[in-house]
Each structure stands twice: as structure tokens, then as C-alpha cells.
Amino acid sequence: MNKISYYLVVIVGLLTFIQFFPHAFLGMPSVLEHIQKGEIQPAAAQSMQMIWLYSSVMMLLSSIWLFFLAKPVKEGKHVARLQVLYLSIGLLAFGLGCSYIAQTVFNPLFFFTVEGILLLLSVTVFYRRDQQE
């Protein structure tokens, strides 16, 4: 049993689920405010709204998917391990990419890097394969 891996996946799933709410319900009004002030050019305004909506939905879906993957990871299922690995790589790439763009490690999106590291640890350092395979 991979109890530590299980808890790490659940924790990241819970954190991502919690992050969804301010992102979707506080972030979108902020985007609309920036559009209204003219800080986002009209040509990009519609795309910005769509990107924000997409990222909100994907945060929610990612968190839900982590909840589905937690138990199979605990049981040592290889397919679940790979899926969590892919999610961790995606979060790390996004977080590190944001650090590169912001030219500072500790930017507002640094937390995604932390989540990626936690997921990576859950399927590498703390993970043991199912003995029945």
C-alpha cells in the first residue's frame, strides 16, 4: 500500500479543488474589469475570457481526476501512476514556465510548481508497485 502517495495525491487534489473557486469566481470578474478599463485590448478580450474559463474548468476537472486516481495509486496500479506522473509533469512545466516568464521563482503561480513536485514525489520516491502485477 502506498499510503503516503495516496495522501499526497488527495492533498494536491483538494488544494486544486479549493483553488478553483477563487480562480473562477473572483478571477473572471477581475478579467472583465481589466477588459472594461481597456487594459486588455478588444482584439484579445474575448480570447482572454475563453482562456480564463477553460483554465477554471480544467482546474476543477484536474482536481476531480486526482480524487479518482488516489485509490488506484494507493493500490500500486501502474496506469494510475502514469496518469499522476503526467499531471505532475504538466503542473511542473506550467509552474516553471510561469517562473521563467515572470523572471522570478516566487510568482503568483509558483504554487503549481509545488503541487507538481508533490505529485512527482507521490509516484516516484514514495511509490511501490503492486506485488500482484
Side-chain angles (χ1 to χ4, degrees):
M1 288 258 195
N2 296 302
K3 286 184 181 180
I4 295 173
S5 295
Y6 170 80
Y7 289 122
L8 287 173
V9 172
V10 168
I11 287 168
V12 172
L14 186 60
L15 290 172
T16 306
F17 183 76
I18 291 168
Q19 288 173 316
F20 158 76
F21 292 99
H23 186 274
F25 298 112
L26 299 175
M28 184 59 96
S30 178
V31 168
L32 295 174
E33 181 182 319
H34 288 290
I35 291 170
Q36 190 176 38
K37 289 180 180 177
E39 296 170 350
I40 298 173
Q41 295 178 2
Q46 189 178 46
S47 295
M48 185 67 184
Q49 291 175 64
M50 290 181 204
I51 290 167
W52 203 271
L53 177 62
Y54 176 79
S55 62
S56 296
V57 170
M58 290 311 296
M59 284 177 73
L60 180 61
L61 291 176
S62 296
S63 69
I64 292 169
W65 194 242
L66 285 170
F67 294 136
F68 280 108
L69 291 172
K71 186 178 178 201
V73 164
K74 183 179 182 181
E75 296 167 349
K77 304 296 181 194
H78 183 67
V79 172
R81 179 186 189 192
L82 281 176
Q83 291 176 61
V84 173
L85 177 65
Y86 296 148
L87 285 168
S88 73
I89 292 169
L91 287 168
L92 280 167
F94 177 69
L96 293 173
C98 290
S99 293
Y100 176 77
I101 290 167
Q103 297 186 353
T104 178
V105 174
F106 300 107
N107 62 77
L109 300 174
F110 174 73
F111 199 70
F112 288 101
T113 305
V114 173
E115 289 178 344
I117 291 168
L118 291 175
L119 288 179
L120 186 62
L121 289 173
S122 76
V123 293
T124 56
V125 175
F126 298 112
Y127 187 85
R128 290 191 324 256
R129 283 189 126 221
D130 184 7
Q131 299 303 319
Q132 296 174 1
E133 290 187 53

